[in-house]
């Protein structure tokens, strides 16, 4: 089942198209990673999904309901965490958490709330104005994960968290998934996305340029190979799908397109492999490839 469905969504601010025909889907039970550079349109998309901003054209639904018309009904079933949390300065963290949960119309599951407070190491008795950025972030995260939502919409939720808390956050997201919940996670932390997400959408200048599972997206990327052979390998740079060749006598390093990997291994084997190291492509490689060498990526590539 589809939980979030976005169809040809555009958002114009004056003459500027912040979103230009965005299509995207989050399926039930999946963690969907939403990545892209600053200003690409992630938060704009999310604000439209939350009914805070009205789309210029196109359609967006959550649980089959229109995000603008039926925002109130949708909100009963979602929890949202922004990257920059502003709280009521004179309430304590604990009061804000309870308020958030009550506003959603949910019952406060004290056990769950206290468990989260402990995990995130947050003192709920302090006034919000005294919290650091990271602690304000934690207040929103505890409120979100203590709520029994069906969909979690997280817009760079870990921007102020230290690595230990990042780990706790990742555990919470995994727990939500294990309970069958769906998650839309926008993030700049690619290792986080790589660890958590079932599928990823990459947005750039208001358009989705790539969507798919990490395995599918990896298919687009290159594996890094370092090899030492008994005899020097000749003419590897003439082979299809081979890039960035560096060779010193019997030692060779290069990158190879995923679909040519098997051919290249066959080509190398007769030279007598003494040592072989490979590094699989990371999401970061993919991301950087899109942003640095976009002109090389024209046509014929995978789309979901
Ligand atoms: N209210 C607004 N008025 C005018 N332009 C806006 C408004 N809100 C967003 N924009 C523009 O729309 C574009 C997309 O912004 P958005 O906040 O969605 O980016 P983002 O992908 O969330 O970036 P970041 O990674 O920095 O959070 C940007 O160029 C931004 O300047
Ligand atoms: Mg943003």
């Amino acid at each position: 089942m589809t939980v979030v469905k976005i169809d040809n969504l555009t958002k114009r601010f004056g003459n500027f198209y912040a979103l230009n025909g965005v299509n995207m889907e989050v399926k039930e039970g999946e963690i969907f990673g939403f990545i892209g550079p600053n200003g690409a349109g992630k938060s704009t998309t999310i604000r439209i999904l939350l009914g805070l901003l009205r789309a210029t054209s196109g359609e967006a639904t959550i649980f089959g309901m229109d995000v603008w018309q039926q925002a109130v009904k949708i909100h009963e079933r979602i929890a949202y965490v922004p990257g920059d949390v502003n709280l009521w300065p004179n309430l304590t963290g604990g009061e804000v958490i309870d308020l958030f949960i009550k506003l959603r119309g949910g019952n406060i599951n004290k056990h769950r709330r206290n468990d989260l407070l402990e995990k995130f190491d947050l003192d709920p008795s302090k006034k919000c104005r005294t919290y650091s950025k990271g602690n304000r972030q934690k207040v929103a995260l505890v409120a979100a994960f203590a709520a029994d939502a069906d969909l979690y919409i997280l817009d760079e939720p870990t921007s102020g968290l230290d690595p230990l808390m990042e780990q706790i956050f990742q555990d919470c997201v995994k727990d939500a998934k294990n309970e069958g919940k769906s998650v839309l996670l926008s993030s700049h932390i690619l290792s986080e996305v790589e660890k958590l997400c079932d599928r990823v959408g990459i947005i750039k200048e208001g358009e989705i340029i790539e969507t798919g599972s990490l395995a599918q997206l990896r298919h687009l990327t290159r594996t890094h190979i370092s090899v030492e052979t008994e005899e020097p390998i000749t003419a590897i740079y003439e082979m299809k799908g081979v890039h960035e060749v560096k060779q010193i006598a019997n030692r060779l390093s290069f990158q190879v397109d995923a679909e040519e990997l098997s051919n290249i291994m066959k080509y190398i084997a007769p030279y007598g492999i003494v040592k072989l190291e490979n590094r699989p492509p990371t999401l970061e490689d993919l991301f950087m490839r899109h942003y640095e060498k976009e002109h090389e990526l024209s046509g014929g590539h995978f789309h979901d």
Side-chain angles (χ1 to χ4, degrees):
M1 211 191 85
T2 304
V3 171
V4 179
K5 191 162 185 351
I6 300 179
D7 252 329
N8 208 11
L9 200 68
T10 64
K11 177 65 194 176
R12 195 157 43 86
F13 294 110
N15 290 326
F16 174 70
Y17 277 88
L19 301 181
N20 196 2
V22 168
N23 294 295
M24 200 167 94
E25 259 182 42
V26 179
K27 295 172 188 156
E28 187 172 0
E30 81 173 350
I31 306 175
F32 186 91
F34 195 21
I35 60 179
N38 296 128
K42 302 179 295 296
S43 296
T44 302
T45 305
I46 286 173
R47 281 192 207 110
I48 291 172
L49 289 177
L50 294 168
L52 297 173
L53 206 60
R54 194 168 190 171
T56 305
S57 66
E59 205 183 337
T61 60
I62 296 181
F63 312 122
M65 295 182 274
D66 183 87
V67 293
W68 183 257
Q69 309 287 346
Q70 290 169 283
V72 177
K73 271 219 112 35
I74 293 171
H75 286 192
E76 290 170 9
R77 297 175 60 191
I78 64 177
Y80 165 60
V81 178
D84 206 349
V85 177
N86 291 308
L87 304 167
W88 292 270
N90 286 322
L91 296 183
T92 67
E95 286 166 341
V96 168
I97 289 166
D98 291 349
L99 182 62
F100 273 140
I101 298 171
K102 277 189 198 144
L103 285 176
R104 290 185 61 257
N107 290 323
I108 297 169
N109 181 337
K110 284 243 161 67
H111 175 71
R112 189 161 167 155
R113 186 195 91 140
N114 293 344
D115 184 47
L116 285 162
L117 284 172
E118 200 169 305
K119 277 189 186 150
F120 278 107
D121 192 24
L122 180 71
D123 179 353
S125 65
K126 290 199 171 142
K127 292 268 197 263
C128 285
R129 79 175 115 76
T130 69
Y131 282 132
S132 65
K133 174 174 167 48
N135 282 334
R136 288 199 301 274
Q137 211 66 33
K138 289 181 191 177
V139 169
L141 286 167
V142 170
F145 288 115
D148 199 22
D150 294 321
L151 169 68
Y152 294 85
I153 298 182
L154 312 172
D155 191 2
E156 287 181 55
T158 60
S159 47
L161 297 190
D162 64 43
L164 196 64
M165 291 303 142
E166 168 71 32
Q167 190 56 53
I168 303 290
F169 164 78
Q170 291 184 13
D171 293 343
C172 288
V173 174
K174 283 184 205 149
D175 288 347
K177 182 189 158 75
N178 288 338
E179 288 169 23
K181 312 301 177 63
S182 315
V183 180
L184 171 58
L185 169 66
S186 127
S187 178
H188 281 127
I189 304 172
L190 296 179
S191 61
E192 171 183 286
V193 173
E194 199 154 34
K195 271 190 218 131
L196 292 174
C197 296
D198 302 299
R199 289 193 313 129
V200 171
I202 304 180
I203 187 169
K204 187 183 182 187
E205 292 171 7
E207 291 177 36
I208 302 283
I209 51 173
E210 215 68 76
T211 317
S213 68
L214 286 173
Q216 286 170 322
L217 294 183
R218 278 212 178 92
H219 205 67
L220 289 174
T221 59
R222 299 166 182 170
T223 299
H224 299 245
I225 304 271
S226 301
V227 61
E228 192 178 325
T229 45
E230 285 160 13
E231 300 294 321
I233 295 171
T234 51
I236 185 102
Y237 48 84
E238 287 175 9
M239 298 292 291
K240 197 171 151 220
V242 171
H243 311 268
E244 316 223 359
V245 177
K246 293 188 193 97
Q247 189 160 25
I248 304 170
N250 292 9
R251 283 188 301 186
L252 178 68
S253 81
F254 58 94
Q255 298 177 11
V256 55
D257 293 343
E259 63 269 23
E260 295 300 327
L261 188 57
S262 161
N263 273 343
I264 296 300
M265 289 296 112
K266 282 184 205 139
Y267 179 78
I268 289 175
Y271 292 91
I273 295 175
V274 178
K275 195 172 152 195
L276 178 74
E277 283 171 2
N278 79 316
R279 182 166 70 76
T282 62
L283 189 57
E284 186 153 342
D285 291 332
L286 175 77
F287 195 79
M288 294 314 272
R289 237 185 116 192
H290 265 302
Y291 293 106
E292 290 179 346
K293 301 183 179 174
E294 205 204 0
H295 53 278
E296 284 182 14
L297 266 180
S298 52
H301 283 277
F302 167 80
H303 284 275
D304 192 36

